[in-house]
Amino acid sequence: MNNLLFEYMDEAIDIINKSTKIFIASHVNPDGDNIGSSLSLALALKKIDKEVFVLSTDGIPNDFKFLPGSELIQDYNESMGPIDLFIAVDSSDVDRLGKNKDLIKTTNKVINIDHHISNTKFGHINIVNPKASATGELIYYFIKRLNIKIDKDIATNIYTAINTDTGKFSYDNVSSDTHRIAAELLDAGADIKEVNINIYESSSIERTKLFIKTLGGLKTYSNNKIAIAKISQDILTETNTTLDDTEGIVSFIRGIGPVEVSCILKEISEKEVKVSLRSKEYVDVASICGVFNGGGHIRAAGCTINSDLNSAESLIVEEIIKKIR
Ligand code: 5GP
Ligand code: MN
């Protein structure tokens, strides 16, 4: 952590101390870093008697419902009152806030805590560090800076954020600091058994069938260096699953030996496809997604293409091939 970020954190703490109603929100298609970061921060701020609201953008995926404090996540409604302070976590730009994005216009206090390389620094205070392995790492430092004790529930949430965003501590953005933080979280009581069972060992039979069907349609390009699978609405209906159940497929495909870039294309509607890309060693997938106005990290990124599944496949393959050595 560099000193500048501690300076920004101190400014943010000053604003928190002067605020009563604090709203926390994160990005569409929630993942573990999104939910774990939001909930750990909310639980910490409640300990210093703040009135905290955690806003739902797209509900909460089943995998993360076990997390302590998950019942705090709710839709915004006007009865919550005016927004004193808005804290965006793990969101690289305003659009990523989905249905909550206009709320930030109603306040002049926005704190943006994130680790995406493509972050647009849209907050009044920006605690942004692309070197952090997960937003959860920044939240850990922030809670420590706030002088709030990290209890078991907070620790379990931060651990989930870091564990899920680092592929269980395996990606190249993992540092020795990441492991030191994890060690402290375990000392604070983080329930890693709960985390592992709920996130990695609770797949339903339906979800397993979705994996099998999707992988059955796997296509490869460039000497197996690119591997792509499509998930249509029909497959979801056939297997009685939802888009949340697709989590994990794209990283599984990257795990195939020769694959450098893995890709899944999720049909949202006839003219809208959500793309997820992962890379193994050298391709910057954030820049590929940038071509389609998306973004993310060097090894994990996403975008939306407004076309049918087959056209989206051609468009994305064309961009990926350019980057393959
Ligand atoms: P996923 O493939 O799991 O949806 O997302 C991988 C990474 O890319 C995450 O860090 C996510 O926040 C980011 N990401 C996914 N889709 C988009 C998008 O449409 N725009 C931007 N800016 N980032 C995205
Ligand atoms: Mn993240």
Side-chain angles (χ1 to χ4, degrees):
M1 278 281 296
N2 61 43
N3 289 337
L4 196 59
L5 279 198
F6 282 130
E7 249 176 64
Y8 296 151
M9 283 188 187
D10 290 343
E11 284 175 36
I13 289 167
D14 199 41
I15 293 183
I16 286 172
N17 287 335
K18 291 179 190 145
S19 306
T20 38
K21 279 181 197 261
I22 300 176
F23 290 71
I24 299 172
S26 188
H27 61 78
V28 291
N29 304 320
D31 58 15
D33 194 20
N34 166 328
I35 308 268
S37 294
S38 301
L39 293 180
S40 52
L41 183 58
L43 294 175
L45 295 177
K46 276 179 165 289
K47 285 186 142 197
I48 52 167
D49 296 325
K50 296 295 169 186
E51 196 178 345
V52 188
F53 299 94
V54 186
L55 300 181
S56 162
T57 36
D58 274 333
I60 166 161
N62 283 332
D63 287 2
F64 302 114
K65 287 196 173 139
F66 76 98
L67 282 172
S70 65
E71 70 285 352
L72 296 172
I73 298 177
Q74 53 183 321
D75 284 325
Y76 175 77
N77 68 68
E78 278 176 9
S79 71
M80 291 172 179
I83 295 177
D84 227 358
L85 166 62
F86 189 101
I87 307 181
V89 300
D90 202 39
S91 304
S92 53
D93 58 62
V94 173
D95 283 340
R96 297 283 293 153
L97 295 169
K99 66 182 181 191
N100 296 314
K101 72 175 179 183
D102 289 334
L103 292 176
I104 69 169
K105 293 183 197 144
T106 67
T107 170
N108 58 4
K109 289 187 278 177
V110 175
I111 299 173
N112 163 19
I113 308 179
D114 185 36
H115 70 134
H116 288 92
I117 198 162
S118 52
N119 191 287
T120 58
K121 312 264 173 87
F122 59 87
H124 300 105
I125 296 175
N126 300 290
I127 301 170
V128 175
N129 183 359
K131 291 209 174 93
S133 70
T135 298
E137 244 187 54
L138 299 171
I139 297 286
Y140 164 86
Y141 287 115
F142 192 47
I143 293 175
K144 296 276 277 193
R145 196 90 181 156
L146 273 155
N147 245 330
I148 299 169
K149 187 173 183 298
I150 295 186
D151 63 18
K152 179 180 180 172
D153 288 351
I154 295 175
T156 300
N157 274 296
I158 302 180
Y159 184 86
T160 297
I162 299 176
N163 174 296
T164 53
D165 242 31
T166 57
K168 302 186 200 170
F169 302 93
S170 72
Y171 299 159
D172 24 350
N173 54 2
V174 171
S175 65
S176 55
D177 280 338
T178 314
H179 285 283
R180 269 186 282 275
I181 293 169
E184 255 196 64
L185 296 172
L186 294 202
D187 287 341
D191 196 340
I192 60 171
K193 189 172 169 209
E194 273 285 288
V195 172
N196 283 317
I197 289 187
N198 279 285
I199 299 178
Y200 303 113
E201 291 171 10
S202 296
S203 272
S204 64
I205 293 293
E206 289 82 3
R207 185 175 186 174
T208 309
K209 288 188 174 154
L210 171 68
F211 268 60
I212 295 169
K213 274 213 171 284
T214 304
L215 293 171
L218 191 75
K219 279 211 230 161
T220 66
Y221 300 85
S222 299
N223 265 337
N224 300 330
K225 288 179 183 163
I226 303 170
I228 294 197
K230 287 182 287 213
I231 300 166
S232 63
Q233 284 295 326
D234 284 347
I235 289 191
L236 295 176
T237 310
E238 251 172 70
T239 53
N240 194 19
T241 52
T242 65
L243 285 170
D244 284 348
D245 293 308
T246 62
E247 188 64 40
I249 299 180
V250 70
S251 42
F252 180 88
I253 298 172
R254 175 177 52 188
I256 302 167
V259 170
E260 168 59 21
V261 176
S262 62
C263 171
I264 58 169
L265 300 162
K266 295 171 270 189
E267 182 181 41
I268 308 293
S269 65
E270 253 174 52
K271 284 268 162 239
E272 188 181 350
V273 176
K274 180 76 203 162
V275 181
S276 284
L277 288 187
R278 302 290 184 269
S279 65
K280 195 179 279 166
E281 289 193 66
Y282 61 88
V283 172
D284 175 357
V285 287
S287 75
I288 297 175
C289 289
V291 174
F292 303 96
N293 294 318
H297 307 288
I298 290 170
R299 301 275 171 267
C303 60
T304 297
I305 298 182
N306 292 107
S307 74
D308 62 88
L309 265 179
N310 289 331
S311 314
E313 179 180 11
S314 312
L315 289 167
I316 199 82
V317 168
E318 194 182 331
E319 292 305 319
I320 302 171
I321 283 176
K322 290 182 191 164
K323 309 283 181 182
I324 292 291
R325 302 205 275 257

